[in-house]
Amino acid sequence: MPTEQFDPQLRRLFAHAREPLAGDAFLAAVLRRVMRERRSRYRRRLIAAAVLFLIACSELPVLLAKTALIVRFLGEYSTTPVGWAVSMMIGGWVLLWARAIARS
Amino acid sequence: MPGAQFGSASEAVVAALAIAGDDAAFEELIRRRQGAIRNLLRRLTRDAALADDLSQQAFVRAWSSIRTLRSPSAFAAWLRALAINCWRQHLRRTPQEVAMQDTIIPDVAAPASAAERRDLDAALAQLSNDVRLCVVLSYDEGMSHGEISESLGMPLGTVKSNITRGAARLRELLHAYSPEEREDANRAI
């Protein structure tokens, strides 16, 4: 016994029920909706970019102040013996890395 | 002539172009698939205007997310799944009227296909949503039970049971279209 049996009468009815549908008006309607969706998407991106810009502007003074603090700390630290040793290690690593690139 | 540039290119080729951002290719996909999607949704909704509205939603979603489609050859199945999702979301949003049990389906088969369509749609409306969906995907879309189960995320046993029950109910409601009853009707004339 076949695992899937179809009633031929119902199949015939379904086949007859399928109607040829003119597509031009439908296509035009879909394209209008796509245009609206496109404009809506563009507006959302513009708003998101504006919000990010505003956040960045409001946070910028704090960001600059913290960056200045870090730079000042590093500058003072590097004049100590430990700071000098760390600087040498970083310099040595950079040289090795540059040599490896030159060899390749 | 619209679509002439794609000639007889396979749907997979056109879909690949649409995925890459070719708007003309996407329009061609709409032209090729609009009939099948609209007919599917007409069988499910019994409302031509609603079916067209849901079909348009499905195509707009397809346009929005076509770049997520990994396999161009799977476009037809993917689009059908989008259309069914649109229908299911519509069902969740809209309080459903229970199909009138006494909706008249004539005892005599109608000769013209428009009337056959009307009688079939009236009979389908008397099935529950899940049963109707399984029957339509099986009889109208020609999908196998396994394909329907995978597409809907429904257990295979449930799909088979829905189709069996749905087909039996449709046969009962549309008895006027059975060959024996048609013969009797013809003899009576």
Side-chain angles (χ1 to χ4, degrees):
Chain A
M1 191 178 181
T3 53
E4 295 183 22
Q5 283 183 312
F6 292 99
D7 182 317
Q9 190 59 29
L10 287 180
R11 267 210 144 144
R12 192 193 67 79
L13 275 171
F14 272 97
H16 279 202
R18 234 172 273 136
E19 50 186 321
L21 298 169
D24 290 346
F26 180 82
L27 173 61
V30 173
L31 293 179
R32 276 196 300 274
R33 282 193 173 193
V34 164
M35 281 306 300
R36 274 203 300 270
E37 178 61 24
R38 206 174 240 147
R39 279 196 296 267
S40 173
R41 193 187 272 188
Y42 178 71
R43 265 195 304 270
R44 283 196 300 269
R45 285 181 180 167
L46 209 56
I47 291 169
V51 166
L52 280 171
F53 178 73
L54 286 172
I55 290 172
C57 286
S58 68
E59 294 300 315
L60 200 57
V62 173
L63 199 62
L64 286 174
K66 288 197 170 156
T67 306
L69 261 174
I70 293 168
V71 167
R72 199 175 304 132
F73 169 76
L74 285 173
E76 286 168 4
Y77 185 70
S78 64
T79 58
T80 63
V82 173
W84 183 85
V86 168
S87 304
M88 286 294 111
M89 272 164 39
I90 292 172
W93 178 82
V94 169
L95 269 172
L96 285 169
W97 178 72
R99 259 191 191 172
I101 289 179
R103 257 188 252 125
S104 65
Chain B
M1 189 180 200
Q5 65 189 108
F6 297 101
S8 57
S10 72
E11 189 167 275
V13 167
V14 180
L17 290 169
I19 291 168
D22 186 330
D23 285 344
F26 188 75
E27 278 180 41
E28 176 65 12
L29 289 174
I30 299 174
R31 267 187 217 102
R32 293 188 185 194
R33 284 279 146 202
Q34 58 90 22
I37 295 297
R38 290 164 75 193
N39 270 305
L40 167 65
L41 286 168
R42 279 169 190 226
R43 295 291 83 74
L44 292 175
T45 61
R46 201 192 166 191
D47 181 338
L50 175 60
D52 280 1
D53 182 54
L54 294 176
S55 301
Q56 288 171 25
Q57 285 180 35
F59 278 108
V60 172
R61 284 190 196 177
W63 171 81
S64 286
S65 55
I66 195 162
R67 283 167 207 237
T68 64
L69 179 61
R70 291 179 187 276
S71 169
S73 57
F75 177 78
W78 177 75
L79 180 64
R80 182 173 52 223
L82 283 178
I84 291 170
N85 279 338
C86 286
W87 174 65
R88 281 174 148 172
Q89 282 174 8
H90 167 76
L91 290 177
R92 282 196 288 271
R93 280 194 308 265
T94 318
Q96 294 301 300
E97 288 173 16
V98 176
M100 299 287 286
Q101 291 300 313
D102 57 357
T103 299
I104 295 170
I105 299 166
D107 281 334
V108 179
S113 65
E116 273 186 325
R117 193 181 308 131
R118 181 201 62 213
D119 291 343
L120 175 62
D121 287 346
L124 282 168
Q126 294 194 32
L127 305 178
S128 71
N129 293 326
D130 280 351
V131 171
R132 188 184 331 135
L133 179 58
C134 289
V135 168
V136 168
L137 289 179
S138 174
Y139 277 88
D140 200 35
E141 296 289 304
M143 291 171 72
S144 69
H145 294 171
E147 285 168 342
I148 295 171
S149 169
E150 196 182 319
S151 173
L152 301 181
M154 198 183 274
L156 183 61
T158 307
V159 168
K160 288 181 180 178
S161 159
N162 283 345
I163 291 170
T164 305
R165 280 191 290 129
R169 182 69 180 131
L170 287 179
R171 272 194 296 273
E172 193 184 305
L173 291 166
L174 297 168
H175 63 86
Y177 290 93
S178 69
E180 301 80 14
E181 297 232 4
R182 276 187 185 267
E183 264 184 51
D184 290 345
N186 287 337
R187 257 187 252 121
I189 295 167

